[in-house]
Amino acid sequence: MMSHPAVHPVDAPPLSIDNGGGDGPPRIRVKDIPGMPGTPSSLVLRLLQSFFAIGACVVMSTTSDFPSVTAFRYLVAATGLQIIWSLLLAIIDIYGILVQRRFRNRRAVKLFAAGDGITSTLTFAAACASAGITVLIHNDLASCSRNHCVQFETSTGLAFMTWFAALPCFLLNLWTLASR
Amino acid sequence: MMSHPAVHPVDAPPLSIDNGGGDGPPRIRVKDIPGMPGTPSSLVLRLLQSFFAIGACVVMSTTSDFPSVTAFRYLVAATGLQIIWSLLLAIIDIYGILVQRRFRNRRAVKLFAAGDGITSTLTFAAACASAGITVLIHNDLASCSRNHCVQFETSTGLAFMTWFAALPCFLLNLWTLASR
């Protein structure tokens, strides 16, 4: 009633490092860095970026007098661009998680790093410019009674948080690009 | 009158990659990246940073009303920090060029990358905040007649140029750190 082990020795297949089941040369698997495109941590960062950027854009847009200040108009534009980029990358991350693939293609990582660098720099510049004007209105001129200081400050703070969420993505993509 | 070639074959010394003339194991020489600490191009970037930062700091300081605006005070502080850092690194570069050494020590490169990241971010933030206020005064309020617009704009422009000279240093140090 019991099965007997096979007594005929068979050749062990050659050990290869994750050759993907294909017949080509073995591909060496790069260690996953958290925050790489296609990982859950990257998706979390992208969703945080989108969330903060949408908040900054909406809060600033709801004030009646934001179009009179160039820096506030620029903040709306920069966070708008950040929203589009972050949501696009979030969709790519979801796709990567669903099909269990990481984006290790050098060209893709280059594109992601360039896009992250540009959008995060623009968002940071907008946040700094708005912060300069908000501090001018609040502290230097003390004219908050005639302005929507709370909205301006909330929007600026959210823009800074967008940048804090975008910076790790940029640095990690740059690191991935340099370390191969 | 003509020299004859030696006919006694000698053993060729074992080929080694720049073992520095020492008896230790051969050290592999990292390819020089232009802009690495201790190279002439790095020195040029450092001197440019110092030059622009000194310009921004001096032009802003000579206006009589800069202390009334927080962002302008911050610009003077940030460019002051940048001047100290850039001159310090310029001295290190000059030392490196004189003794013909590159700074490939991982800890040194880490320190340089962190310092460059912090100072360039602070300078960029100051430049953006000043730009926001300068544009507000010039375009939105059109009150250049009562303000030192030319000085404010010159100082802001020089701060941006400082950042443009500081950014390659930061990215190159980060790249050097990641690529080993």
Side-chain angles (χ1 to χ4, degrees), chain A residues 16-39:
Chain A
S16 73
I17 308 161
D18 184 38
N19 64 4
D23 298 308
R27 266 183 280 147
I28 290 163
R29 187 156 205 163
V30 181
K31 216 185 92 211
D32 270 4
I33 306 172
M36 266 176 76
T39 56

mmCIF file with all atom_site columns, all heavy atoms in Angstrom, chain A residues 16-39:
data_model
loop_
_atom_site.group_PDB
_atom_site.id
_atom_site.type_symbol
_atom_site.label_atom_id
_atom_site.label_alt_id
_atom_site.label_comp_id
_atom_site.label_asym_id
_atom_site.label_entity_id
_atom_site.label_seq_id
_atom_site.pdbx_PDB_ins_code
_atom_site.Cartn_x
_atom_site.Cartn_y
_atom_site.Cartn_z
_atom_site.occupancy
_atom_site.B_iso_or_equiv
_atom_site.pdbx_formal_charge
_atom_site.auth_seq_id
_atom_site.auth_comp_id
_atom_site.auth_asym_id
_atom_site.auth_atom_id
_atom_site.pdbx_PDB_model_num
ATOM 1   N N   . SER A 1 16 ? 19.684 27.749 -11.987 1.00 0.00 ? 16 SER A N   1
ATOM 2   C CA  . SER A 1 16 ? 19.738 29.083 -12.602 1.00 0.00 ? 16 SER A CA  1
ATOM 3   C C   . SER A 1 16 ? 18.941 30.048 -11.746 1.00 0.00 ? 16 SER A C   1
ATOM 4   O O   . SER A 1 16 ? 18.021 29.664 -11.041 1.00 0.00 ? 16 SER A O   1
ATOM 5   C CB  . SER A 1 16 ? 19.186 29.046 -14.015 1.00 0.00 ? 16 SER A CB  1
ATOM 6   O OG  . SER A 1 16 ? 17.788 28.904 -13.968 1.00 0.00 ? 16 SER A OG  1
ATOM 7   N N   . ILE A 1 17 ? 19.319 31.304 -11.819 1.00 0.00 ? 17 ILE A N   1
ATOM 8   C CA  . ILE A 1 17 ? 18.670 32.313 -10.996 1.00 0.00 ? 17 ILE A CA  1
ATOM 9   C C   . ILE A 1 17 ? 17.510 32.902 -11.770 1.00 0.00 ? 17 ILE A C   1
ATOM 10  O O   . ILE A 1 17 ? 17.685 33.768 -12.621 1.00 0.00 ? 17 ILE A O   1
ATOM 11  C CB  . ILE A 1 17 ? 19.671 33.417 -10.596 1.00 0.00 ? 17 ILE A CB  1
ATOM 12  C CG1 . ILE A 1 17 ? 20.917 32.785 -9.994  1.00 0.00 ? 17 ILE A CG1 1
ATOM 13  C CG2 . ILE A 1 17 ? 19.049 34.406 -9.644  1.00 0.00 ? 17 ILE A CG2 1
ATOM 14  C CD1 . ILE A 1 17 ? 22.102 33.706 -9.997  1.00 0.00 ? 17 ILE A CD1 1
ATOM 15  N N   . ASP A 1 18 ? 16.302 32.386 -11.469 1.00 0.00 ? 18 ASP A N   1
ATOM 16  C CA  . ASP A 1 18 ? 15.070 32.948 -12.024 1.00 0.00 ? 18 ASP A CA  1
ATOM 17  C C   . ASP A 1 18 ? 15.172 33.284 -13.505 1.00 0.00 ? 18 ASP A C   1
ATOM 18  O O   . ASP A 1 18 ? 15.176 34.450 -13.892 1.00 0.00 ? 18 ASP A O   1
ATOM 19  C CB  . ASP A 1 18 ? 14.683 34.222 -11.227 1.00 0.00 ? 18 ASP A CB  1
ATOM 20  C CG  . ASP A 1 18 ? 13.352 34.779 -11.729 1.00 0.00 ? 18 ASP A CG  1
ATOM 21  O OD1 . ASP A 1 18 ? 12.465 33.977 -12.049 1.00 0.00 ? 18 ASP A OD1 1
ATOM 22  O OD2 . ASP A 1 18 ? 13.249 35.986 -11.807 1.00 0.00 ? 18 ASP A OD2 1
ATOM 23  N N   . ASN A 1 19 ? 15.295 32.265 -14.317 1.00 0.00 ? 19 ASN A N   1
ATOM 24  C CA  . ASN A 1 19 ? 15.395 32.573 -15.744 1.00 0.00 ? 19 ASN A CA  1
ATOM 25  C C   . ASN A 1 19 ? 14.039 32.764 -16.404 1.00 0.00 ? 19 ASN A C   1
ATOM 26  O O   . ASN A 1 19 ? 13.932 32.822 -17.622 1.00 0.00 ? 19 ASN A O   1
ATOM 27  C CB  . ASN A 1 19 ? 16.247 31.528 -16.482 1.00 0.00 ? 19 ASN A CB  1
ATOM 28  C CG  . ASN A 1 19 ? 15.607 30.154 -16.441 1.00 0.00 ? 19 ASN A CG  1
ATOM 29  O OD1 . ASN A 1 19 ? 14.501 30.006 -15.920 1.00 0.00 ? 19 ASN A OD1 1
ATOM 30  N ND2 . ASN A 1 19 ? 16.291 29.177 -16.997 1.00 0.00 ? 19 ASN A ND2 1
ATOM 31  N N   . GLY A 1 20 ? 13.013 32.887 -15.576 1.00 0.00 ? 20 GLY A N   1
ATOM 32  C CA  . GLY A 1 20 ? 11.705 33.241 -16.119 1.00 0.00 ? 20 GLY A CA  1
ATOM 33  C C   . GLY A 1 20 ? 11.054 32.114 -16.900 1.00 0.00 ? 20 GLY A C   1
ATOM 34  O O   . GLY A 1 20 ? 10.055 32.328 -17.565 1.00 0.00 ? 20 GLY A O   1
ATOM 35  N N   . GLY A 1 21 ? 11.600 30.925 -16.822 1.00 0.00 ? 21 GLY A N   1
ATOM 36  C CA  . GLY A 1 21 ? 10.994 29.794 -17.517 1.00 0.00 ? 21 GLY A CA  1
ATOM 37  C C   . GLY A 1 21 ? 11.305 29.760 -18.998 1.00 0.00 ? 21 GLY A C   1
ATOM 38  O O   . GLY A 1 21 ? 10.903 28.850 -19.696 1.00 0.00 ? 21 GLY A O   1
ATOM 39  N N   . GLY A 1 22 ? 11.999 30.756 -19.508 1.00 0.00 ? 22 GLY A N   1
ATOM 40  C CA  . GLY A 1 22 ? 12.292 30.794 -20.941 1.00 0.00 ? 22 GLY A CA  1
ATOM 41  C C   . GLY A 1 22 ? 13.553 30.026 -21.263 1.00 0.00 ? 22 GLY A C   1
ATOM 42  O O   . GLY A 1 22 ? 14.183 29.413 -20.408 1.00 0.00 ? 22 GLY A O   1
ATOM 43  N N   . ASP A 1 23 ? 13.922 30.085 -22.514 1.00 0.00 ? 23 ASP A N   1
ATOM 44  C CA  . ASP A 1 23 ? 15.114 29.373 -22.952 1.00 0.00 ? 23 ASP A CA  1
ATOM 45  C C   . ASP A 1 23 ? 16.324 30.294 -23.076 1.00 0.00 ? 23 ASP A C   1
ATOM 46  O O   . ASP A 1 23 ? 17.423 29.853 -23.365 1.00 0.00 ? 23 ASP A O   1
ATOM 47  C CB  . ASP A 1 23 ? 14.835 28.697 -24.307 1.00 0.00 ? 23 ASP A CB  1
ATOM 48  C CG  . ASP A 1 23 ? 13.731 27.673 -24.195 1.00 0.00 ? 23 ASP A CG  1
ATOM 49  O OD1 . ASP A 1 23 ? 13.825 26.806 -23.302 1.00 0.00 ? 23 ASP A OD1 1
ATOM 50  O OD2 . ASP A 1 23 ? 12.781 27.755 -24.982 1.00 0.00 ? 23 ASP A OD2 1
ATOM 51  N N   . GLY A 1 24 ? 16.120 31.594 -22.908 1.00 0.00 ? 24 GLY A N   1
ATOM 52  C CA  . GLY A 1 24 ? 17.208 32.559 -23.086 1.00 0.00 ? 24 GLY A CA  1
ATOM 53  C C   . GLY A 1 24 ? 18.213 32.477 -21.953 1.00 0.00 ? 24 GLY A C   1
ATOM 54  O O   . GLY A 1 24 ? 18.115 31.618 -21.072 1.00 0.00 ? 24 GLY A O   1
ATOM 55  N N   . PRO A 1 25 ? 19.196 33.379 -21.962 1.00 0.00 ? 25 PRO A N   1
ATOM 56  C CA  . PRO A 1 25 ? 20.188 33.394 -20.876 1.00 0.00 ? 25 PRO A CA  1
ATOM 57  C C   . PRO A 1 25 ? 19.524 33.776 -19.548 1.00 0.00 ? 25 PRO A C   1
ATOM 58  O O   . PRO A 1 25 ? 18.530 34.497 -19.541 1.00 0.00 ? 25 PRO A O   1
ATOM 59  C CB  . PRO A 1 25 ? 21.177 34.480 -21.332 1.00 0.00 ? 25 PRO A CB  1
ATOM 60  C CG  . PRO A 1 25 ? 20.402 35.348 -22.275 1.00 0.00 ? 25 PRO A CG  1
ATOM 61  C CD  . PRO A 1 25 ? 19.388 34.451 -22.923 1.00 0.00 ? 25 PRO A CD  1
ATOM 62  N N   . PRO A 1 26 ? 20.045 33.282 -18.420 1.00 0.00 ? 26 PRO A N   1
ATOM 63  C CA  . PRO A 1 26 ? 19.399 33.561 -17.132 1.00 0.00 ? 26 PRO A CA  1
ATOM 64  C C   . PRO A 1 26 ? 19.415 35.052 -16.833 1.00 0.00 ? 26 PRO A C   1
ATOM 65  O O   . PRO A 1 26 ? 20.425 35.728 -17.019 1.00 0.00 ? 26 PRO A O   1
ATOM 66  C CB  . PRO A 1 26 ? 20.250 32.778 -16.131 1.00 0.00 ? 26 PRO A CB  1
ATOM 67  C CG  . PRO A 1 26 ? 21.524 32.503 -16.821 1.00 0.00 ? 26 PRO A CG  1
ATOM 68  C CD  . PRO A 1 26 ? 21.216 32.436 -18.272 1.00 0.00 ? 26 PRO A CD  1
ATOM 69  N N   . ARG A 1 27 ? 18.268 35.569 -16.376 1.00 0.00 ? 27 ARG A N   1
ATOM 70  C CA  . ARG A 1 27 ? 18.174 36.979 -15.993 1.00 0.00 ? 27 ARG A CA  1
ATOM 71  C C   . ARG A 1 27 ? 18.388 37.072 -14.489 1.00 0.00 ? 27 ARG A C   1
ATOM 72  O O   . ARG A 1 27 ? 17.781 36.313 -13.735 1.00 0.00 ? 27 ARG A O   1
ATOM 73  C CB  . ARG A 1 27 ? 16.798 37.530 -16.335 1.00 0.00 ? 27 ARG A CB  1
ATOM 74  C CG  . ARG A 1 27 ? 16.774 38.185 -17.695 1.00 0.00 ? 27 ARG A CG  1
ATOM 75  C CD  . ARG A 1 27 ? 15.426 38.788 -17.967 1.00 0.00 ? 27 ARG A CD  1
ATOM 76  N NE  . ARG A 1 27 ? 14.470 37.790 -18.405 1.00 0.00 ? 27 ARG A NE  1
ATOM 77  C CZ  . ARG A 1 27 ? 13.177 37.823 -18.125 1.00 0.00 ? 27 ARG A CZ  1
ATOM 78  N NH1 . ARG A 1 27 ? 12.696 38.777 -17.368 1.00 0.00 ? 27 ARG A NH1 1
ATOM 79  N NH2 . ARG A 1 27 ? 12.358 36.890 -18.571 1.00 0.00 ? 27 ARG A NH2 1
ATOM 80  N N   . ILE A 1 28 ? 19.266 37.970 -14.060 1.00 0.00 ? 28 ILE A N   1
ATOM 81  C CA  . ILE A 1 28 ? 19.505 38.122 -12.629 1.00 0.00 ? 28 ILE A CA  1
ATOM 82  C C   . ILE A 1 28 ? 18.451 39.055 -12.059 1.00 0.00 ? 28 ILE A C   1
ATOM 83  O O   . ILE A 1 28 ? 18.191 40.127 -12.600 1.00 0.00 ? 28 ILE A O   1
ATOM 84  C CB  . ILE A 1 28 ? 20.928 38.659 -12.372 1.00 0.00 ? 28 ILE A CB  1
ATOM 85  C CG1 . ILE A 1 28 ? 21.930 37.568 -12.730 1.00 0.00 ? 28 ILE A CG1 1
ATOM 86  C CG2 . ILE A 1 28 ? 21.100 39.075 -10.923 1.00 0.00 ? 28 ILE A CG2 1
ATOM 87  C CD1 . ILE A 1 28 ? 23.325 38.069 -12.909 1.00 0.00 ? 28 ILE A CD1 1
ATOM 88  N N   . ARG A 1 29 ? 17.827 38.619 -10.975 1.00 0.00 ? 29 ARG A N   1
ATOM 89  C CA  . ARG A 1 29 ? 16.734 39.393 -10.397 1.00 0.00 ? 29 ARG A CA  1
ATOM 90  C C   . ARG A 1 29 ? 17.294 40.494 -9.506  1.00 0.00 ? 29 ARG A C   1
ATOM 91  O O   . ARG A 1 29 ? 18.051 40.224 -8.580  1.00 0.00 ? 29 ARG A O   1
ATOM 92  C CB  . ARG A 1 29 ? 15.856 38.458 -9.585  1.00 0.00 ? 29 ARG A CB  1
ATOM 93  C CG  . ARG A 1 29 ? 14.615 39.141 -9.107  1.00 0.00 ? 29 ARG A CG  1
ATOM 94  C CD  . ARG A 1 29 ? 13.531 38.139 -8.850  1.00 0.00 ? 29 ARG A CD  1
ATOM 95  N NE  . ARG A 1 29 ? 12.247 38.788 -8.971  1.00 0.00 ? 29 ARG A NE  1
ATOM 96  C CZ  . ARG A 1 29 ? 11.117 38.141 -9.121  1.00 0.00 ? 29 ARG A CZ  1
ATOM 97  N NH1 . ARG A 1 29 ? 11.118 36.841 -9.210  1.00 0.00 ? 29 ARG A NH1 1
ATOM 98  N NH2 . ARG A 1 29 ? 9.989  38.787 -9.199  1.00 0.00 ? 29 ARG A NH2 1
ATOM 99  N N   . VAL A 1 30 ? 16.913 41.743 -9.777  1.00 0.00 ? 30 VAL A N   1
ATOM 100 C CA  . VAL A 1 30 ? 17.343 42.867 -8.949  1.00 0.00 ? 30 VAL A CA  1
ATOM 101 C C   . VAL A 1 30 ? 16.556 42.831 -7.648  1.00 0.00 ? 30 VAL A C   1
ATOM 102 O O   . VAL A 1 30 ? 15.381 42.502 -7.648  1.00 0.00 ? 30 VAL A O   1
ATOM 103 C CB  . VAL A 1 30 ? 17.097 44.202 -9.686  1.00 0.00 ? 30 VAL A CB  1
ATOM 104 C CG1 . VAL A 1 30 ? 17.569 45.371 -8.852  1.00 0.00 ? 30 VAL A CG1 1
ATOM 105 C CG2 . VAL A 1 30 ? 17.770 44.202 -11.028 1.00 0.00 ? 30 VAL A CG2 1
ATOM 106 N N   . LYS A 1 31 ? 17.234 43.129 -6.568  1.00 0.00 ? 31 LYS A N   1
ATOM 107 C CA  . LYS A 1 31 ? 16.547 43.156 -5.268  1.00 0.00 ? 31 LYS A CA  1
ATOM 108 C C   . LYS A 1 31 ? 15.492 44.258 -5.290  1.00 0.00 ? 31 LYS A C   1
ATOM 109 O O   . LYS A 1 31 ? 15.742 45.356 -5.755  1.00 0.00 ? 31 LYS A O   1
ATOM 110 C CB  . LYS A 1 31 ? 17.566 43.428 -4.151  1.00 0.00 ? 31 LYS A CB  1
ATOM 111 C CG  . LYS A 1 31 ? 17.276 42.687 -2.865  1.00 0.00 ? 31 LYS A CG  1
ATOM 112 C CD  . LYS A 1 31 ? 18.231 43.091 -1.774  1.00 0.00 ? 31 LYS A CD  1
ATOM 113 C CE  . LYS A 1 31 ? 17.698 44.219 -0.971  1.00 0.00 ? 31 LYS A CE  1
ATOM 114 N NZ  . LYS A 1 31 ? 18.531 45.151 -0.389  1.00 0.00 ? 31 LYS A NZ  1
ATOM 115 N N   . ASP A 1 32 ? 14.307 43.937 -4.785  1.00 0.00 ? 32 ASP A N   1
ATOM 116 C CA  . ASP A 1 32 ? 13.240 44.930 -4.755  1.00 0.00 ? 32 ASP A CA  1
ATOM 117 C C   . ASP A 1 32 ? 13.569 46.024 -3.748  1.00 0.00 ? 32 ASP A C   1
ATOM 118 O O   . ASP A 1 32 ? 13.827 45.751 -2.580  1.00 0.00 ? 32 ASP A O   1
ATOM 119 C CB  . ASP A 1 32 ? 11.927 44.267 -4.345  1.00 0.00 ? 32 ASP A CB  1
ATOM 120 C CG  . ASP A 1 32 ? 11.179 43.755 -5.559  1.00 0.00 ? 32 ASP A CG  1
ATOM 121 O OD1 . ASP A 1 32 ? 11.727 43.863 -6.664  1.00 0.00 ? 32 ASP A OD1 1
ATOM 122 O OD2 . ASP A 1 32 ? 10.047 43.270 -5.386  1.00 0.00 ? 32 ASP A OD2 1
ATOM 123 N N   . ILE A 1 33 ? 13.548 47.273 -4.204  1.00 0.00 ? 33 ILE A N   1
ATOM 124 C CA  . ILE A 1 33 ? 13.677 48.400 -3.291  1.00 0.00 ? 33 ILE A CA  1
ATOM 125 C C   . ILE A 1 33 ? 12.258 48.886 -3.005  1.00 0.00 ? 33 ILE A C   1
ATOM 126 O O   . ILE A 1 33 ? 11.488 49.081 -3.941  1.00 0.00 ? 33 ILE A O   1
ATOM 127 C CB  . ILE A 1 33 ? 14.506 49.537 -3.928  1.00 0.00 ? 33 ILE A CB  1
ATOM 128 C CG1 . ILE A 1 33 ? 15.863 49.004 -4.401  1.00 0.00 ? 33 ILE A CG1 1
ATOM 129 C CG2 . ILE A 1 33 ? 14.681 50.687 -2.968  1.00 0.00 ? 33 ILE A CG2 1
ATOM 130 C CD1 . ILE A 1 33 ? 16.657 50.010 -5.201  1.00 0.00 ? 33 ILE A CD1 1
ATOM 131 N N   . PRO A 1 34 ? 11.897 49.060 -1.723  1.00 0.00 ? 34 PRO A N   1
ATOM 132 C CA  . PRO A 1 34 ? 10.548 49.584 -1.461  1.00 0.00 ? 34 PRO A CA  1
ATOM 133 C C   . PRO A 1 34 ? 10.400 50.956 -2.106  1.00 0.00 ? 34 PRO A C   1
ATOM 134 O O   . PRO A 1 34 ? 11.310 51.777 -2.043  1.00 0.00 ? 34 PRO A O   1
ATOM 135 C CB  . PRO A 1 34 ? 10.503 49.701 0.068   1.00 0.00 ? 34 PRO A CB  1
ATOM 136 C CG  . PRO A 1 34 ? 11.628 48.879 0.574   1.00 0.00 ? 34 PRO A CG  1
ATOM 137 C CD  . PRO A 1 34 ? 12.656 48.846 -0.498  1.00 0.00 ? 34 PRO A CD  1
ATOM 138 N N   . GLY A 1 35 ? 9.276  51.189 -2.721  1.00 0.00 ? 35 GLY A N   1
ATOM 139 C CA  . GLY A 1 35 ? 9.044  52.468 -3.387  1.00 0.00 ? 35 GLY A CA  1
ATOM 140 C C   . GLY A 1 35 ? 9.332  52.417 -4.868  1.00 0.00 ? 35 GLY A C   1
ATOM 141 O O   . GLY A 1 35 ? 9.065  53.380 -5.582  1.00 0.00 ? 35 GLY A O   1
ATOM 142 N N   . MET A 1 36 ? 9.881  51.276 -5.347  1.00 0.00 ? 36 MET A N   1
ATOM 143 C CA  . MET A 1 36 ? 10.088 51.129 -6.787  1.00 0.00 ? 36 MET A CA  1
ATOM 144 C C   . MET A 1 36 ? 8.746  51.052 -7.494  1.00 0.00 ? 36 MET A C   1
ATOM 145 O O   . MET A 1 36 ? 7.790  50.515 -6.932  1.00 0.00 ? 36 MET A O   1
ATOM 146 C CB  . MET A 1 36 ? 10.860 49.839 -7.070  1.00 0.00 ? 36 MET A CB  1
ATOM 147 C CG  . MET A 1 36 ? 12.351 50.009 -7.177  1.00 0.00 ? 36 MET A CG  1
ATOM 148 S SD  . MET A 1 36 ? 13.142 48.422 -7.404  1.00 0.00 ? 36 MET A SD  1
ATOM 149 C CE  . MET A 1 36 ? 12.779 48.092 -9.126  1.00 0.00 ? 36 MET A CE  1
ATOM 150 N N   . PRO A 1 37 ? 8.657  51.582 -8.718  1.00 0.00 ? 37 PRO A N   1
ATOM 151 C CA  . PRO A 1 37 ? 7.388  51.503 -9.435  1.00 0.00 ? 37 PRO A CA  1
ATOM 152 C C   . PRO A 1 37 ? 6.911  50.057 -9.543  1.00 0.00 ? 37 PRO A C   1
ATOM 153 O O   . PRO A 1 37 ? 7.701  49.172 -9.853  1.00 0.00 ? 37 PRO A O   1
ATOM 154 C CB  . PRO A 1 37 ? 7.727  52.056 -10.818 1.00 0.00 ? 37 PRO A CB  1
ATOM 155 C CG  . PRO A 1 37 ? 8.940  52.875 -10.636 1.00 0.00 ? 37 PRO A CG  1
ATOM 156 C CD  . PRO A 1 37 ? 9.687  52.256 -9.504  1.00 0.00 ? 37 PRO A CD  1
ATOM 157 N N   . GLY A 1 38 ? 5.637  49.849 -9.261  1.00 0.00 ? 38 GLY A N   1
ATOM 158 C CA  . GLY A 1 38 ? 5.074  48.505 -9.323  1.00 0.00 ? 38 GLY A CA  1
ATOM 159 C C   . GLY A 1 38 ? 5.009  47.824 -7.973  1.00 0.00 ? 38 GLY A C   1
ATOM 160 O O   . GLY A 1 38 ? 4.558  46.690 -7.885  1.00 0.00 ? 38 GLY A O   1
ATOM 161 N N   . THR A 1 39 ? 5.469  48.486 -6.902  1.00 0.00 ? 39 THR A N   1
ATOM 162 C CA  . THR A 1 39 ? 5.391  47.908 -5.561  1.00 0.00 ? 39 THR A CA  1
ATOM 163 C C   . THR A 1 39 ? 4.255  48.582 -4.789  1.00 0.00 ? 39 THR A C   1
ATOM 164 O O   . THR A 1 39 ? 3.892  49.725 -5.085  1.00 0.00 ? 39 THR A O   1
ATOM 165 C CB  . THR A 1 39 ? 6.711  48.110 -4.788  1.00 0.00 ? 39 THR A CB  1
ATOM 166 O OG1 . THR A 1 39 ? 7.012  49.506 -4.745  1.00 0.00 ? 39 THR A OG1 1
ATOM 167 C CG2 . THR A 1 39 ? 7.863  47.383 -5.453  1.00 0.00 ? 39 THR A CG2 1
#
